[in-house]
Structures are given as structure tokens and as C-alpha cells.
Amino acid sequence: MYANKILWQEHALELHLCKSLGWQRVGMWRPLVVDISRHSVKEAMRPLLFKKILKRHIREQLEGVERCSGLPGGQRLIDGLRSADAFLSGRELSWEAFADKGRSLSNLPGHSSTSALVSLGQLMAMAPAINVFFEYAKAFPAPGFCTMCWRFVLSGEKYCRIHRVPVGGAVQQSQRDSDSYWFGRKLSPQFDEQLRRLSGHARREKLRSQWKAVTDIAPWLERYRPLVWRFVVGRTGIPEKASVLPSVIRALDEHSLEVGVLNEQRAVFHSSLLADRKAIFDLLLRAEAWLGAAAERRANWGGRRVGAGRPVKAVRSARQLV
């Protein structure tokens, strides 16, 4: 009976990784998933334990690939596995470090020989979500948005860290022209108007239904969320097809002010968010509205606003005086 339960957990975890989190399944890593599952049944996955399991399986695969001389694309795979092995030799590794390394492997240029590296990279970023699957960590409740922008707030507060009310109401001069609490407050009317306009368009065009079914995400974003797409590309470059959604989430919901445990919680949340198309649609909607409102406001700053400059005085020429 116990053995059957273990087998069910192994299968259930693999299915969850594929269906809910978008893992690109590659046969060579199935023993790794099985090993992770067997350990997770007994205890929560910690960075040190995850590191040991990964290192063992990566070295086994590396030895096998190195023995198969002449394998198409084999050198690229060998180089990638060696890079992952070197990373795992680090003394102190956090979930965020695993996620960063995993993303670097997952974003390699498309080629059949790198599918194993993409799959490995995705697994390296999924470990916190595996703890949620085995109920060692609580799944996040329905995500809440910052009142002033599109970013998710995990603390239950009203504002994200960027738009948090400044202590004493003070703000540095260098922050006045950038995204800050005061900028967000002044932008609110335009942001709300853009949200109403885009929400109405989404209802008329049935964009929510389209979004749930879309598989090629980049063209959809270019057509319906062009400001978001330019924002993401400006920060991450054009992502590979398989990593568009993680890149979008990471670029839009970036919280550089969070460190330590907060940073790890954000990484877990991003992994779980991949399966929530509704929340991502709302994220894209709010981001497009905010970016449109901000561009509109900045276009009307200073000397660029309508009616800027000194009023033109009627000056009569000398001939008119004659």
C-alpha cells in the first residue's frame, strides 16, 4: 500500500510540473524527479538537500554524455552540465540563486541538444513550488495588486514597495520624475481611465477567452499589449518562446527592494503564478494601462504640455504705428 502511494506521488508530481507549471519534460531527468518526490514525501525540500540531489543526477548524466562521443550537440550539453555542476559547488545557495541559474539555462538559444538544459533549468527554479505541492508550504491566496500600479503585493498591504507612502511624506528631488508614491498618486486619474478603456476593449474582443487558449504568447502581446511587450524586451531582451511567460512575470513583478526571505517568497509566488492565466491577464491589463497613462502624462510635462511657455504678446510693428 505504501509503495503504491509513493508511485502515485511520483506520477502526480511529474504531472503537476508539466500541466500546472509548464515544465518541459525530458526523459533523462525523470529519475531526478522521482528522487525529489521520494525525499519530499519524507521532508520539505531545503536548498542544501536540493543541491545534493541535483549534483548527484547531473554528474551521472554528465558521465554518460561524455562517454557518447560524436553525439549531435553533445559539447553544448556537456558545457551546460559542467556549468550547472560548478554552480552547485557553491557553499551558500538560496532558492533565488537556484532560480537565477535555472533561468540562465532555460534561456539558451533553441536547439534540440539544449532541451535537456532547458528542462533542468526549469526544475531548478521549481523547487519552492514543489514544497507547496507536498503541502510543506502554503500556496499563496488570490494575488492582490498595488493600488497604484500593476505589481503584486504579498504582504496584504495596500501598496507595493515602490509606491509605499514615504515616511513623513518626504520625497527626494531625484524621485519626482520617476515612478514613486507621488508620481503614482498624480497618475491615478489617467491610470483609472486607461483601465476602463482597456477593460471595455477586452470585453468586446473577448480577450480573456483568447488569452486562456493562446500558446504563442509573444505575438499576442505584441498585438494586444504592445507597451508591456516593449517594457519586457527592454529589460530582458526578446525571450525564447518557451520562456516568454516567466520572463514577462519576472520583468513586470520585479521587486529589487525585497531581500532574503521576501525574495524567496516572491520566487515561489512566481512559480505558482505560471498556472494562473487569469491573474496574469489582469497583470498585463494593469501594466498596459499604467504604462499608457505614464507615457501620456510624461508627454505633457514641462515645455511639452499644451500652452507651455510665455504667452505671445501682440506687438505692433513700426509700420502699424505710422
Side-chain angles (χ1 to χ4, degrees):
M1 191 73 176
Y2 180 73
N4 289 336
K5 181 180 179 181
I6 294 294
L7 289 173
W8 179 86
Q9 290 280 16
E10 292 166 6
H11 176 73
L13 175 60
E14 189 173 11
L15 190 64
H16 175 70
L17 294 176
C18 294
K19 298 294 185 182
S20 299
L21 301 180
W23 178 50
Q24 182 174 326
R25 177 165 34 193
V26 173
M28 69 185 289
W29 298 123
R30 191 168 194 286
L32 170 58
V33 175
V34 170
D35 205 356
I36 289 172
S37 178
R38 289 176 178 174
H39 279 84
S40 295
V41 169
K42 302 172 186 176
E43 59 181 319
M45 188 65 61
R46 306 292 182 190
L48 181 59
L49 175 59
F50 191 53
K51 168 184 168 179
K52 289 179 179 178
I53 296 172
L54 277 175
K55 182 176 283 191
R56 181 169 63 255
H57 286 272
I58 286 173
R59 288 185 174 177
E60 287 176 0
Q61 294 296 341
L62 182 57
E63 290 174 4
V65 174
E66 287 176 331
R67 285 196 299 268
C68 298
S69 59
L71 186 70
Q75 191 56 51
R76 296 182 70 187
L77 181 55
I78 289 171
D79 292 343
L81 292 176
R82 284 176 177 170
S83 172
D85 184 56
F87 163 78
L88 293 170
S89 297
R91 288 188 175 182
E92 296 182 7
L93 296 178
S94 63
W95 288 137
E96 185 63 24
F98 278 112
D100 288 342
K101 182 60 179 179
R103 286 191 288 263
S104 72
L105 291 172
S106 300
N107 289 329
L108 288 171
H111 190 283
S112 59
S113 66
T114 62
S115 60
L117 297 178
V118 171
S119 180
L120 174 63
Q122 291 175 331
L123 274 176
M124 290 176 74
M126 288 176 179
I130 293 172
N131 276 340
V132 173
F133 175 77
F134 282 100
E135 299 182 350
Y136 291 112
K138 291 183 179 179
F140 287 95
F145 289 105
C146 170
T147 300
M148 289 192 184
C149 70
W150 66 81
R151 295 175 183 88
F152 289 107
V153 180
L154 304 183
S155 59
E157 297 180 359
K158 190 174 182 180
Y159 304 112
C160 66
R161 284 179 171 263
I162 291 174
H163 294 124
R164 189 169 292 177
V165 182
V167 178
V171 61
Q172 295 179 358
Q173 183 65 35
S174 61
Q175 294 177 318
R176 292 185 185 276
D177 294 342
S178 62
D179 186 11
S180 64
Y181 170 77
W182 294 111
F183 180 84
R185 229 175 80 166
K186 292 175 182 178
L187 190 68
S188 287
Q190 289 162 293
F191 178 38
D192 292 340
E193 178 57 34
Q194 289 279 357
L195 268 177
R196 282 193 292 271
R197 184 181 65 79
L198 289 174
S199 296
H201 177 257
R203 285 193 297 272
R204 290 191 300 272
E205 299 295 325
K206 299 181 179 178
L207 295 187
R208 283 189 182 273
S209 299
Q210 287 186 33
W211 172 247
K212 289 178 181 178
V214 72
T215 54
D216 197 358
I217 294 170
W220 193 94
L221 292 176
E222 287 183 273
R223 179 175 180 180
Y224 295 112
R225 300 292 178 257
L227 298 179
V228 167
W229 181 245
R230 288 201 291 271
F231 181 89
V232 172
V233 170
R235 279 158 176 73
T236 68
I238 299 177
E240 290 293 311
K241 185 176 179 179
S243 61
V244 171
L245 205 54
S247 296
V248 168
I249 292 172
R250 191 166 63 252
L252 291 180
D253 198 40
E254 189 273 330
H255 288 255
S256 58
L257 297 177
E258 291 181 344
V259 296
V261 174
L262 294 177
N263 210 355
E264 293 183 5
Q265 287 177 346
R266 185 71 55 174
V268 175
F269 172 66
H270 286 175
S271 294
S272 65
L273 188 61
L274 287 170
D276 193 344
R277 280 293 183 99
K278 179 183 181 299
I280 298 174
F281 183 89
D282 291 333
L283 169 69
L284 296 172
L285 178 72
R286 291 179 68 87
E288 186 75 13
W290 194 97
L291 292 169
E296 184 181 281
R297 179 173 177 78
R298 288 178 176 127
N300 202 33
W301 272 356
R304 291 172 291 183
R305 72 181 187 277
V306 177
R310 294 182 179 180
V312 178
K313 294 182 179 179
V315 180
R316 290 181 297 176
S317 64
R319 288 181 181 179
Q320 290 174 311
L321 294 174
V322 175

